[in-house]
Amino acid sequence: MTSLQPNNPESTSSNKGFYRKLPKGIWALGFVSMFMDSSSELVHSLLPIFMTTTLGASMVTIGIVEGFAEAAAAITKVFSGVISDYFQKRKLLAVIGYGLAAITKPIFPLATSIGWVFGARFVDRIGKGIRGAPRDALVAEIAPEQLRGAAYGLRQALDSVGAFVGPLLAVAFMIWFANDIKAVLWVAVLPAFIAVLLLIVGVREPESLVYAVPHRNLLSLNNAKRLRLRYWLVVALGAVFTLARFSEAFLILRARDVGLAIGYVPVIMIVMNVVYSIFAYPAGAAADRISARTLLLCGLGILVVADIVLAIAASPGVALLGSAFWGLHMALTQGLLSKLVADTAPADLRGTAFGIFNLVNGGALLLASVIAGSLWSMFGASATFTAGASFAAFAAMGLLLYRPNARVTEHSTGL
């Protein structure tokens, strides 16, 4: 694989120090993710309850809303990734994507019907789709290659800090506003716009990212052929992981289902994301040194445990334990999958590669969320999480049985 290391003094930082002195741009992107996720997760931790209690939505409706919103994000990522490769401008698309997400935040507290929520959620995820692939490619291009796993782990860790700060704010303001969900949703507006401002002033696109490609084309068959088998294996793995891990809206609904008071339902997301944020960076750093196969198998095993615990939960405490295992699984796998995409794609096609990866995963998430909502409606919550455990166990068996023919090298997936 072509190695690209930006001609930037920051990118040659030494490996010493707890966080290996990663470039400032990686930290800035991490804090952008942190502020936006604080905003988004505040909304998402209350939205399923808002849809069921205030707007009267069914479980199937929630599954459809969540699934279509995430699928829209995934489809958009393909186009944004390709466009970022063509124009070699990652930051502009990232700003547009984060900006769209920010302007949707006031719509949620103003919503009076499920159609308003669907529309805002759809546009919010379109924004996520626009920013996702260019941002992930930008991480690979700012960070030194030998620290790529650590860079993705750090960004994911800060993203996860935001993901538990958001629900924590939701709990605090639900108490402050006496369970007035609409009033609490207004709190999400400020951190969203802070994220956009920080991205504009704090992240510089490396000037040296100009590839020697004589005829740049938008997505074409020839470009697709340059994405090798190892890359498509990573795409397939990501899709199977997503089938086993449906929308986190169902974690929130499970917390409510086992008796957690409405004002404290976001605690389940706090627990998940505290664990996620603690272990995301160590897992990312470990991905630079040990087998990806080992980490993926550990992640799948922990997801099976999480699903089983959530399936048998009969009290809030047990549901919170399942949520903690869910967060540990996310920490072990999400940054690693991003690293594998970056490692297996040509440097000038990284945006396209992340776009395709997220398109396939978005389709899997749509299917998984609709299945989860349907199983919950027909057979109850336990059936939903039992099905998730079955998918995860199936994926783990497939990964155990797979035997790569090619010798694992420094630049291979390590699968």
PDB file of all heavy atoms in Angstrom, residues 288-311:
ATOM      1  N   ASP A 288      -1.882  -0.996  16.693  1.00  0.00           N
ATOM      2  CA  ASP A 288      -0.621  -0.744  15.996  1.00  0.00           C
ATOM      3  C   ASP A 288       0.412  -1.829  16.267  1.00  0.00           C
ATOM      4  O   ASP A 288       1.447  -1.877  15.612  1.00  0.00           O
ATOM      5  CB  ASP A 288      -0.040   0.616  16.429  1.00  0.00           C
ATOM      6  CG  ASP A 288      -0.848   1.788  15.913  1.00  0.00           C
ATOM      7  OD1 ASP A 288      -1.361   1.709  14.783  1.00  0.00           O
ATOM      8  OD2 ASP A 288      -0.964   2.788  16.648  1.00  0.00           O
ATOM      9  N   ARG A 289       0.127  -2.717  17.256  1.00  0.00           N
ATOM     10  CA  ARG A 289       1.158  -3.661  17.689  1.00  0.00           C
ATOM     11  C   ARG A 289       0.732  -5.119  17.620  1.00  0.00           C
ATOM     12  O   ARG A 289       1.579  -5.987  17.438  1.00  0.00           O
ATOM     13  CB  ARG A 289       1.575  -3.342  19.136  1.00  0.00           C
ATOM     14  CG  ARG A 289       2.124  -1.945  19.352  1.00  0.00           C
ATOM     15  CD  ARG A 289       2.723  -1.784  20.750  1.00  0.00           C
ATOM     16  NE  ARG A 289       1.777  -2.096  21.798  1.00  0.00           N
ATOM     17  CZ  ARG A 289       0.919  -1.209  22.319  1.00  0.00           C
ATOM     18  NH1 ARG A 289       0.886   0.025  21.860  1.00  0.00           N
ATOM     19  NH2 ARG A 289       0.096  -1.551  23.288  1.00  0.00           N
ATOM     20  N   ILE A 290      -0.559  -5.410  17.781  1.00  0.00           N
ATOM     21  CA  ILE A 290      -0.962  -6.817  17.837  1.00  0.00           C
ATOM     22  C   ILE A 290      -1.981  -7.121  16.754  1.00  0.00           C
ATOM     23  O   ILE A 290      -2.471  -6.234  16.061  1.00  0.00           O
ATOM     24  CB  ILE A 290      -1.530  -7.182  19.227  1.00  0.00           C
ATOM     25  CG1 ILE A 290      -2.846  -6.432  19.498  1.00  0.00           C
ATOM     26  CG2 ILE A 290      -0.519  -6.913  20.321  1.00  0.00           C
ATOM     27  CD1 ILE A 290      -3.507  -6.836  20.806  1.00  0.00           C
ATOM     28  N   SER A 291      -2.308  -8.383  16.606  1.00  0.00           N
ATOM     29  CA  SER A 291      -3.164  -8.867  15.520  1.00  0.00           C
ATOM     30  C   SER A 291      -4.560  -8.271  15.577  1.00  0.00           C
ATOM     31  O   SER A 291      -5.224  -8.281  16.621  1.00  0.00           O
ATOM     32  CB  SER A 291      -3.259 -10.392  15.604  1.00  0.00           C
ATOM     33  OG  SER A 291      -4.303 -10.883  14.804  1.00  0.00           O
ATOM     34  N   ALA A 292      -4.998  -7.776  14.417  1.00  0.00           N
ATOM     35  CA  ALA A 292      -6.372  -7.284  14.306  1.00  0.00           C
ATOM     36  C   ALA A 292      -7.367  -8.405  14.550  1.00  0.00           C
ATOM     37  O   ALA A 292      -8.433  -8.198  15.152  1.00  0.00           O
ATOM     38  CB  ALA A 292      -6.592  -6.678  12.918  1.00  0.00           C
ATOM     39  N   ARG A 293      -7.049  -9.599  14.101  1.00  0.00           N
ATOM     40  CA  ARG A 293      -7.914 -10.761  14.278  1.00  0.00           C
ATOM     41  C   ARG A 293      -8.208 -11.001  15.759  1.00  0.00           C
ATOM     42  O   ARG A 293      -9.350 -11.233  16.153  1.00  0.00           O
ATOM     43  CB  ARG A 293      -7.225 -11.974  13.659  1.00  0.00           C
ATOM     44  CG  ARG A 293      -8.015 -13.283  13.682  1.00  0.00           C
ATOM     45  CD  ARG A 293      -7.041 -14.416  13.342  1.00  0.00           C
ATOM     46  NE  ARG A 293      -7.722 -15.679  13.182  1.00  0.00           N
ATOM     47  CZ  ARG A 293      -8.127 -16.176  12.024  1.00  0.00           C
ATOM     48  NH1 ARG A 293      -7.926 -15.502  10.914  1.00  0.00           N
ATOM     49  NH2 ARG A 293      -8.725 -17.350  11.963  1.00  0.00           N
ATOM     50  N   THR A 294      -7.165 -10.911  16.592  1.00  0.00           N
ATOM     51  CA  THR A 294      -7.328 -11.119  18.027  1.00  0.00           C
ATOM     52  C   THR A 294      -8.269 -10.078  18.635  1.00  0.00           C
ATOM     53  O   THR A 294      -9.177 -10.416  19.412  1.00  0.00           O
ATOM     54  CB  THR A 294      -5.957 -11.055  18.723  1.00  0.00           C
ATOM     55  OG1 THR A 294      -5.109 -12.075  18.190  1.00  0.00           O
ATOM     56  CG2 THR A 294      -6.096 -11.242  20.223  1.00  0.00           C
ATOM     57  N   LEU A 295      -8.063  -8.822  18.275  1.00  0.00           N
ATOM     58  CA  LEU A 295      -8.917  -7.757  18.815  1.00  0.00           C
ATOM     59  C   LEU A 295     -10.364  -7.904  18.349  1.00  0.00           C
ATOM     60  O   LEU A 295     -11.306  -7.684  19.118  1.00  0.00           O
ATOM     61  CB  LEU A 295      -8.367  -6.396  18.403  1.00  0.00           C
ATOM     62  CG  LEU A 295      -7.099  -5.923  19.127  1.00  0.00           C
ATOM     63  CD1 LEU A 295      -6.598  -4.621  18.518  1.00  0.00           C
ATOM     64  CD2 LEU A 295      -7.355  -5.745  20.620  1.00  0.00           C
ATOM     65  N   LEU A 296     -10.552  -8.268  17.078  1.00  0.00           N
ATOM     66  CA  LEU A 296     -11.907  -8.424  16.557  1.00  0.00           C
ATOM     67  C   LEU A 296     -12.633  -9.576  17.251  1.00  0.00           C
ATOM     68  O   LEU A 296     -13.816  -9.476  17.585  1.00  0.00           O
ATOM     69  CB  LEU A 296     -11.870  -8.656  15.049  1.00  0.00           C
ATOM     70  CG  LEU A 296     -11.462  -7.457  14.193  1.00  0.00           C
ATOM     71  CD1 LEU A 296     -11.247  -7.876  12.749  1.00  0.00           C
ATOM     72  CD2 LEU A 296     -12.499  -6.344  14.266  1.00  0.00           C
ATOM     73  N   LEU A 297     -11.934 -10.697  17.470  1.00  0.00           N
ATOM     74  CA  LEU A 297     -12.555 -11.826  18.162  1.00  0.00           C
ATOM     75  C   LEU A 297     -12.921 -11.459  19.600  1.00  0.00           C
ATOM     76  O   LEU A 297     -13.990 -11.831  20.089  1.00  0.00           O
ATOM     77  CB  LEU A 297     -11.617 -13.031  18.140  1.00  0.00           C
ATOM     78  CG  LEU A 297     -11.537 -13.778  16.804  1.00  0.00           C
ATOM     79  CD1 LEU A 297     -10.392 -14.787  16.818  1.00  0.00           C
ATOM     80  CD2 LEU A 297     -12.862 -14.478  16.505  1.00  0.00           C
ATOM     81  N   CYS A 298     -12.034 -10.721  20.262  1.00  0.00           N
ATOM     82  CA  CYS A 298     -12.352 -10.256  21.625  1.00  0.00           C
ATOM     83  C   CYS A 298     -13.588  -9.365  21.608  1.00  0.00           C
ATOM     84  O   CYS A 298     -14.479  -9.493  22.459  1.00  0.00           O
ATOM     85  CB  CYS A 298     -11.169  -9.500  22.206  1.00  0.00           C
ATOM     86  SG  CYS A 298      -9.754 -10.532  22.635  1.00  0.00           S
ATOM     87  N   GLY A 299     -13.643  -8.456  20.627  1.00  0.00           N
ATOM     88  CA  GLY A 299     -14.788  -7.552  20.516  1.00  0.00           C
ATOM     89  C   GLY A 299     -16.087  -8.293  20.291  1.00  0.00           C
ATOM     90  O   GLY A 299     -17.125  -7.976  20.900  1.00  0.00           O
ATOM     91  N   LEU A 300     -16.057  -9.296  19.417  1.00  0.00           N
ATOM     92  CA  LEU A 300     -17.267 -10.077  19.153  1.00  0.00           C
ATOM     93  C   LEU A 300     -17.689 -10.878  20.380  1.00  0.00           C
ATOM     94  O   LEU A 300     -18.887 -10.972  20.696  1.00  0.00           O
ATOM     95  CB  LEU A 300     -17.031 -11.011  17.965  1.00  0.00           C
ATOM     96  CG  LEU A 300     -17.071 -10.352  16.586  1.00  0.00           C
ATOM     97  CD1 LEU A 300     -16.514 -11.285  15.521  1.00  0.00           C
ATOM     98  CD2 LEU A 300     -18.495  -9.937  16.226  1.00  0.00           C
ATOM     99  N   GLY A 301     -16.721 -11.451  21.078  1.00  0.00           N
ATOM    100  CA  GLY A 301     -17.052 -12.204  22.290  1.00  0.00           C
ATOM    101  C   GLY A 301     -17.714 -11.326  23.343  1.00  0.00           C
ATOM    102  O   GLY A 301     -18.697 -11.726  23.985  1.00  0.00           O
ATOM    103  N   ILE A 302     -17.199 -10.116  23.492  1.00  0.00           N
ATOM    104  CA  ILE A 302     -17.774  -9.189  24.466  1.00  0.00           C
ATOM    105  C   ILE A 302     -19.168  -8.729  24.022  1.00  0.00           C
ATOM    106  O   ILE A 302     -20.059  -8.543  24.856  1.00  0.00           O
ATOM    107  CB  ILE A 302     -16.825  -8.000  24.679  1.00  0.00           C
ATOM    108  CG1 ILE A 302     -15.561  -8.490  25.408  1.00  0.00           C
ATOM    109  CG2 ILE A 302     -17.495  -6.897  25.494  1.00  0.00           C
ATOM    110  CD1 ILE A 302     -14.428  -7.499  25.403  1.00  0.00           C
ATOM    111  N   LEU A 303     -19.386  -8.575  22.714  1.00  0.00           N
ATOM    112  CA  LEU A 303     -20.722  -8.207  22.228  1.00  0.00           C
ATOM    113  C   LEU A 303     -21.732  -9.312  22.525  1.00  0.00           C
ATOM    114  O   LEU A 303     -22.880  -9.027  22.889  1.00  0.00           O
ATOM    115  CB  LEU A 303     -20.675  -7.922  20.726  1.00  0.00           C
ATOM    116  CG  LEU A 303     -22.011  -7.541  20.081  1.00  0.00           C
ATOM    117  CD1 LEU A 303     -22.630  -6.317  20.748  1.00  0.00           C
ATOM    118  CD2 LEU A 303     -21.828  -7.287  18.580  1.00  0.00           C
ATOM    119  N   VAL A 304     -21.328 -10.565  22.384  1.00  0.00           N
ATOM    120  CA  VAL A 304     -22.213 -11.685  22.732  1.00  0.00           C
ATOM    121  C   VAL A 304     -22.607 -11.587  24.206  1.00  0.00           C
ATOM    122  O   VAL A 304     -23.792 -11.731  24.566  1.00  0.00           O
ATOM    123  CB  VAL A 304     -21.530 -13.039  22.446  1.00  0.00           C
ATOM    124  CG1 VAL A 304     -22.358 -14.184  23.019  1.00  0.00           C
ATOM    125  CG2 VAL A 304     -21.334 -13.234  20.948  1.00  0.00           C
ATOM    126  N   VAL A 305     -21.623 -11.333  25.065  1.00  0.00           N
ATOM    127  CA  VAL A 305     -21.904 -11.200  26.506  1.00  0.00           C
ATOM    128  C   VAL A 305     -22.868 -10.039  26.751  1.00  0.00           C
ATOM    129  O   VAL A 305     -23.835 -10.165  27.522  1.00  0.00           O
ATOM    130  CB  VAL A 305     -20.596 -10.990  27.293  1.00  0.00           C
ATOM    131  CG1 VAL A 305     -20.895 -10.679  28.760  1.00  0.00           C
ATOM    132  CG2 VAL A 305     -19.709 -12.216  27.187  1.00  0.00           C
ATOM    133  N   ALA A 306     -22.620  -8.901  26.090  1.00  0.00           N
ATOM    134  CA  ALA A 306     -23.484  -7.727  26.273  1.00  0.00           C
ATOM    135  C   ALA A 306     -24.927  -8.043  25.894  1.00  0.00           C
ATOM    136  O   ALA A 306     -25.867  -7.704  26.631  1.00  0.00           O
ATOM    137  CB  ALA A 306     -22.960  -6.567  25.435  1.00  0.00           C
ATOM    138  N   ASP A 307     -25.109  -8.686  24.743  1.00  0.00           N
ATOM    139  CA  ASP A 307     -26.463  -9.006  24.283  1.00  0.00           C
ATOM    140  C   ASP A 307     -27.164  -9.983  25.231  1.00  0.00           C
ATOM    141  O   ASP A 307     -28.361  -9.838  25.506  1.00  0.00           O
ATOM    142  CB  ASP A 307     -26.403  -9.598  22.870  1.00  0.00           C
ATOM    143  CG  ASP A 307     -26.313  -8.527  21.796  1.00  0.00           C
ATOM    144  OD1 ASP A 307     -26.973  -7.483  21.950  1.00  0.00           O
ATOM    145  OD2 ASP A 307     -25.606  -8.725  20.795  1.00  0.00           O
ATOM    146  N   ILE A 308     -26.420 -10.978  25.719  1.00  0.00           N
ATOM    147  CA  ILE A 308     -27.024 -11.951  26.635  1.00  0.00           C
ATOM    148  C   ILE A 308     -27.444 -11.273  27.935  1.00  0.00           C
ATOM    149  O   ILE A 308     -28.549 -11.504  28.452  1.00  0.00           O
ATOM    150  CB  ILE A 308     -26.049 -13.110  26.915  1.00  0.00           C
ATOM    151  CG1 ILE A 308     -25.870 -13.959  25.651  1.00  0.00           C
ATOM    152  CG2 ILE A 308     -26.545 -13.976  28.067  1.00  0.00           C
ATOM    153  CD1 ILE A 308     -24.800 -15.023  25.764  1.00  0.00           C
ATOM    154  N   VAL A 309     -26.583 -10.413  28.472  1.00  0.00           N
ATOM    155  CA  VAL A 309     -26.911  -9.701  29.708  1.00  0.00           C
ATOM    156  C   VAL A 309     -28.149  -8.826  29.512  1.00  0.00           C
ATOM    157  O   VAL A 309     -29.049  -8.795  30.363  1.00  0.00           O
ATOM    158  CB  VAL A 309     -25.710  -8.852  30.182  1.00  0.00           C
ATOM    159  CG1 VAL A 309     -26.115  -7.931  31.328  1.00  0.00           C
ATOM    160  CG2 VAL A 309     -24.566  -9.749  30.613  1.00  0.00           C
ATOM    161  N   LEU A 310     -28.215  -8.120  28.382  1.00  0.00           N
ATOM    162  CA  LEU A 310     -29.376  -7.267  28.111  1.00  0.00           C
ATOM    163  C   LEU A 310     -30.636  -8.093  27.856  1.00  0.00           C
ATOM    164  O   LEU A 310     -31.741  -7.664  28.191  1.00  0.00           O
ATOM    165  CB  LEU A 310     -29.079  -6.363  26.917  1.00  0.00           C
ATOM    166  CG  LEU A 310     -28.077  -5.231  27.203  1.00  0.00           C
ATOM    167  CD1 LEU A 310     -27.507  -4.660  25.908  1.00  0.00           C
ATOM    168  CD2 LEU A 310     -28.732  -4.125  28.018  1.00  0.00           C
ATOM    169  N   ALA A 311     -30.482  -9.287  27.279  1.00  0.00           N
ATOM    170  CA  ALA A 311     -31.638 -10.146  27.035  1.00  0.00           C
ATOM    171  C   ALA A 311     -32.255 -10.647  28.328  1.00  0.00           C
ATOM    172  O   ALA A 311     -33.489 -10.754  28.444  1.00  0.00           O
ATOM    173  CB  ALA A 311     -31.236 -11.327  26.148  1.00  0.00           C
TER     174      ALA A 311
END
